Amino acid sequence: MKKLPLLLLLCFPLITLAQLRKGLVTDKTGEPIDGATISLQRRDSTLAIQTSKNGLFSFPQLFKGGFTLKANAVGYKNTVRALDLPMDSVVIVMISDDKTLEQVTVSASKPLIVRKIDRVIFNVENSIVASGATVWDALGKAPGVQTRFDGGVTANNKGVVIYMDDKPIRLSGEDLAAYLRSLPSDNIAKIEIIANPTARYDAQGGAVINIISKKPKGDGFNVVLSGGYTQSTYSSYNPSMVFNYRKDKLNVYGSYGYSRRKKDHKESEYIIFDSPGNYADWKNDKSGIRSGKANSYKIGADYNLTDKQVIGILVNGYNGANSRPNSTLTTIVNNHSALPDSILHTQNVSNGKAYQYSFNLNYKIKLDTNGRNINVDLDYVPYQNKNSQQVDTYGTLGNGNLLPDNYHIFTPSDQNIDIYSGKLDYTDKFWKKWTFESGLKYSSIRTRNSFDFYNNPATGPELVSNRSDRFEYAENISAIYASISGDAGKWSFEGGLRGEYTRTNGKSLVLNTNNQNNYFKLFPTLFVAYKMNKDNEINLVYNSRINRPEYWRLNPFKSYTSPYTYLEGNPALQPAFIYNGELGYTYKQQYNISFYLRRTVDYFSNISVQDNNSKLFYDTQRNLDLSQEMGFSASFPIKPASWWEINNYAQGSYRQERSGYLQARYDYHVWGVYLSTNHAFTLNKTQGLKAEISAWYSSPTIQGIYKLAQLYDVSAGVSKSLFKGKGTLRLAVNDMFYGNAYRIDVDYENQHNGFYEKNDTRSATLSFSYRLGGNPTAARKRTSASEEEKKRTQ
C-alpha cells in the first residue's frame, strides 16, 4: 500500500506551464488523506486553497518564488512546508493527532432541532429523552409529530408516509407501530419532518417523515454498540449495533437490533344501547399484556466502478412475534337497574408473526461535473403476516347462575404481499443556479389474504364457511414527474408536476365482489420565496396530494374480539384528495410563522356502528365527505445562554368535519392548539454532562364523529460522556404524569359509546452507547424505487 501514493503521483499528466501540478498528502503509513485543506501562502496572505481528493491536489496557477504550503485535516497535526516555485511535484506527510480527535469528538454538537426551508430536522442522537428506547418512542418526541394508540401518525395535523433512509416503510396501523417499536432509537441519527413534499416524492400522504439511520464513518472498520433497558410496569430491553467498512472503492455498512418488549394495557369502554322501550348500559373493563420480540437487520454495499459510476445493493429484514392476552369483564345493566342483569367473562389471546424483507439494486452515473446525473433503482419487497386469535366467553346472570350459551371461536389468518417497483431519476443543472429534475416510476403490488373462522367446541374445531373468506388485491401505479428550481435575484422558486395513473382490483370470494378502480391524477407543487433583505423572507406554498387506503382497510374480513364486537374493512373504499396552501414569514432564518388552509375531499376513517336492537357493536371503514382546517404554525428557538438551548413550536387551528352518516348528517367545528417545548442544557462541557426537558400538549379535537380528549407529555433526562467521548450513558424518564392516555367519545344520533385507554407510556430508560473505530463520512444515501407502498401494508 505504501507504493500506491507514489504510483498515483506518477499518474499525473505533465504540463510544462504548471507551477505545481502534482501534489499528494498522506499519513505516516503512506495512506492518502481525503478532504485535507491545502493553502498556498506568502507574507501571511493566502493566494490559493485546494482540497485533497483521494490525497491528490494541485495548483495550476502561474506562481514563482518562495511560498509556504500549509496542510490541515481533522485528526492530524497542522503541517507547514516551504516551497520554491516552480516545482513539478510534492508529497506532504501528516502526523496523527489523537488529542485533537478526542477534543473534536467531545465538543462537537449539532443543534437538537434544525429548521430548514423545506423540512424540520430532529437530531435524535442529540436528544436524551428520545435515545435509549425505541424509534416509535423517539417519533413521539419530534416537534409537531403525534403518535396514536392505533398506530396512526400525524405531523402538523397531516397524515404521513414514513420513510426509513429515504425508502418508505410498507407497514401501517398497529403493524407499523410494532415494527418501529422493534428498532432501537440508538440506531437513529435524525428524523426529518417534510410538511410539503416536492414532485420528486410520491403523491401519497399529506406529509413525509424520513427516519435517518446512524452510519459510522471513516476509512477502515467502525462500529457503534448500544443498549437500553426500560422499566414501566414490566421491563423491556433492546441491544443494537451499526457498522461500516470503507476501503478504496468499496463501502460495506449495516446494522442489527433486537428488542424484547412487555407492556401493561388497560382499557375502559362503555356502550349505551338506547332504543324505544329498550335501554342497556354495557361496560367493558379490559386488562392485558402487549409483549413481543423482534430482530431487525440491514446490510448494504456500494462499489465505485469509476469516479463517475456507483453501483450498490441493500437488503433490509425484519421478523417479529407478538402476543396479546386480554381479559374482559362486561357488566350489563338493563333499563336503568341498580344491579347488573348479567356479566360476561371473555378471554382473548392473539398471537402473530411477521416477516418483511426489502431488496434494492441501485446504479448512479454522473454525466458531467455540472450536476447532471442519472439514478436507477429496482426493488422487490416480500411481506408475510400470520395471526391467530382464540376467543372464549361465558356469562353469568345477576344471581350468579351460568348463562346457557358459551362462545368459543378460533380465527387464523394469513397475509402475503409482493411489491415490485422500479424508477429512473434524471437531474440537470444549468445557469449555475437552476436545477431540473424528472423521472419515471412503476410499481406493482399484489396481496393475498386468507381468513378462517372456526367454532371451537369441546369435540373439535368446526369451520364456518360463510364467515371465512379469501381476499386478493392488486394495485399498479405508473408515475412521471418534472420539476425546476432556482434563484433569480431575491426570488427563489420551485415548481413541479407529478402525474400518476392507478389501477386497482379487489376480489372477495365469499362476498363474490370485484371492486375495480382506474384513475389518472395530476399533482402540482409550487414553492416561492422572496428575500426582502438578509433578515426577512416571505414564502408561498401550494400542493395537492392523494391518500390511498392502507391495505388492511380494504380487507373485508370480520375479526371478532367477542360475540358482540368485531372489526371489518371495506373493499369499496376510495382514495382521498388533499389540497394545501400556506403563506409564511421567516425572520433571521430562525423564527418562522405560517398560515395555512387545508381541504381533504372524500377522506376516509375508521367509524363505529352500534345496533341498539341486536346489541351488536363493530368498527368499519368508509369515505366521509369533507374535512377542512385553517390555522397557523410558529417556531421560535431561544438561546438564553451558551449552555441553554430552547426550541418552541405552536400550532393553532380551526377544524371542520362534515358528512352524511347513518341516515343523518353531522357538521362539527372545533378550535385546537398544539404546543411543544424542548430545553437542552450543557451542564458541564468538559465532562460531557448534559440534561434535557421535553413537553407537549394537544387540546381536544375531532375526527369524524369521534371526539378526542386532550393529551400531554412531560419527559426529562440526563447524559454523561465517558471513555474520552467514545461512550455515552443516558437516563430518561418519559411521560412522568401519565398524560398520554387516550379518551375518545361518540355522541351522535343513536350512537353513544367511548373508551379510555392506557398504554403503559410512563417509563424510565437507562441506555449506553459506545463507538469503536476512528473519527466517524456517511455511507451513500439513496432513495429506492419503492415509495408509497411501504406505508400501506398490513
Side-chain angles (χ1 to χ4, degrees), residues 334-394:
N334 292 324
N335 300 319
H336 305 283
S337 174
L339 297 174
D341 290 86
S342 58
I343 298 175
L344 301 179
H345 305 264
T346 301
Q347 295 290 328
N348 186 323
V349 178
S350 176
N351 295 300
K353 293 183 178 180
Y355 307 85
Q356 177 180 281
Y357 305 95
S358 175
F359 304 92
N360 169 256
L361 176 64
N362 170 263
Y363 171 76
K364 184 174 182 178
I365 180 172
K366 296 181 180 179
L367 302 177
D368 57 28
T369 59
N370 295 323
R372 282 202 309 150
N373 61 73
I374 293 176
N375 189 85
V376 179
D377 276 286
L378 300 174
D379 284 84
Y380 169 58
V381 180
Y383 174 79
Q384 185 178 40
N385 190 341
K386 293 179 177 291
N387 283 285
S388 64
Q389 182 176 238
Q390 177 77 40
V391 181
D392 299 286
T393 299
Y394 70 92

Side-chain angles (χ1 to χ4, degrees), residues 543-564:
N543 64 2
S544 66
R545 310 278 293 169
I546 187 173
N547 194 15
R548 297 183 179 91
E550 299 94 329
Y551 306 136
W552 67 269
R553 293 184 188 269
L554 300 167
N555 195 327
F557 299 165
K558 293 182 179 179
S559 178
Y560 284 82
T561 55
S562 80
Y564 305 95

Side-chain angles (χ1 to χ4, degrees), residues 192-209:
E192 298 179 335
I193 302 102
I194 308 171
N196 296 293
T198 64
R200 186 184 185 96
Y201 288 90
D202 284 354
Q204 170 71 16
V208 166
I209 293 179

Side-chain angles (χ1 to χ4, degrees), residues 207-472:
V208 166
I209 293 179
N210 189 23
I211 302 169
I212 305 296
S213 303
K214 284 183 179 177
K215 300 178 178 69
K217 308 169 184 180
D219 289 339
F221 189 67
N222 299 274
V223 181
V224 176
L225 303 175
S226 305
Y229 175 87
T230 299
Q231 183 66 50
S232 49
T233 303
Y234 303 98
S235 60
S236 305
Y237 56 90
N238 49 351
S240 64
M241 61 89 71
V242 294
F243 73 90
N244 182 76
Y245 174 78
R246 186 189 297 272
K247 188 68 173 178
D248 299 328
K249 296 183 176 182
L250 178 66
N251 183 42
V252 180
Y253 56 95
S255 66
Y256 172 76
Y258 174 79
S259 69
R260 195 172 186 93
R261 181 176 179 272
K262 188 175 182 180
K263 291 285 188 177
D264 186 48
H265 179 84
K266 295 187 183 302
E267 183 178 341
S268 298
E269 182 182 46
Y270 71 91
I271 309 170
I272 298 175
F273 296 103
D274 191 4
S275 60
N278 189 355
Y279 178 92
D281 187 353
W282 291 42
K283 287 185 170 58
N284 299 317
D285 291 317
K286 302 179 182 179
S287 62
I289 295 174
R290 303 288 187 262
S291 63
K293 56 183 179 180
N295 298 273
S296 57
Y297 36 89
K298 174 174 65 176
I299 183 72
D302 294 323
Y303 184 77
N304 292 280
L305 301 172
T306 67
D307 290 341
K308 296 182 178 180
Q309 299 182 73
V310 181
I311 190 170
I313 57 172
L314 178 64
V315 179
N316 281 282
Y318 159 75
N319 59 278
N322 64 79
S323 178
R324 292 188 171 190
N326 284 299
S327 297
T328 303
L329 184 68
T330 303
T331 304
I332 303 174
V333 176
N334 292 324
N335 300 319
H336 305 283
S337 174
L339 297 174
D341 290 86
S342 58
I343 298 175
L344 301 179
H345 305 264
T346 301
Q347 295 290 328
N348 186 323
V349 178
S350 176
N351 295 300
K353 293 183 178 180
Y355 307 85
Q356 177 180 281
Y357 305 95
S358 175
F359 304 92
N360 169 256
L361 176 64
N362 170 263
Y363 171 76
K364 184 174 182 178
I365 180 172
K366 296 181 180 179
L367 302 177
D368 57 28
T369 59
N370 295 323
R372 282 202 309 150
N373 61 73
I374 293 176
N375 189 85
V376 179
D377 276 286
L378 300 174
D379 284 84
Y380 169 58
V381 180
Y383 174 79
Q384 185 178 40
N385 190 341
K386 293 179 177 291
N387 283 285
S388 64
Q389 182 176 238
Q390 177 77 40
V391 181
D392 299 286
T393 299
Y394 70 92
T396 58
L397 295 172
N399 58 13
N401 294 331
L402 290 174
L403 290 170
D405 295 326
N406 294 328
Y407 185 77
H408 304 281
I409 65 169
F410 175 66
T411 55
S413 61
D414 191 3
Q415 181 182 56
N416 290 273
I417 300 177
D418 288 303
I419 303 175
Y420 300 88
S421 56
K423 71 169 187 173
L424 183 149
D425 296 299
Y426 170 77
T427 303
D428 193 5
K429 292 187 177 182
F430 56 96
W431 298 340
K432 296 184 179 180
K433 294 184 178 182
W434 291 84
T435 300
F436 173 77
E437 294 181 318
S438 63
L440 304 169
K441 181 189 171 184
Y442 178 78
S443 63
S444 176
I445 303 102
R446 184 185 178 191
T447 72
R448 299 172 302 282
N449 308 270
S450 64
F451 177 83
D452 292 319
F453 187 102
Y454 292 91
N455 280 327
N456 197 24
T459 56
E462 299 174 353
L463 179 66
V464 182
S465 298
N466 62 353
R467 288 192 172 187
S468 304
D469 201 357
R470 300 292 182 269
F471 178 69
E472 294 185 357

Side-chain angles (χ1 to χ4, degrees), residues 10 30 131 137 155 373 427 477 493 508 518 524 553 572 590 672 688 694 786:
L10 293 174
S131 300
D137 298 319
N373 61 73
T427 303
I477 302 175
F493 170 86
S508 171
N518 301 330
R553 293 184 188 269
Q590 294 186 70
S694 173
S786 47

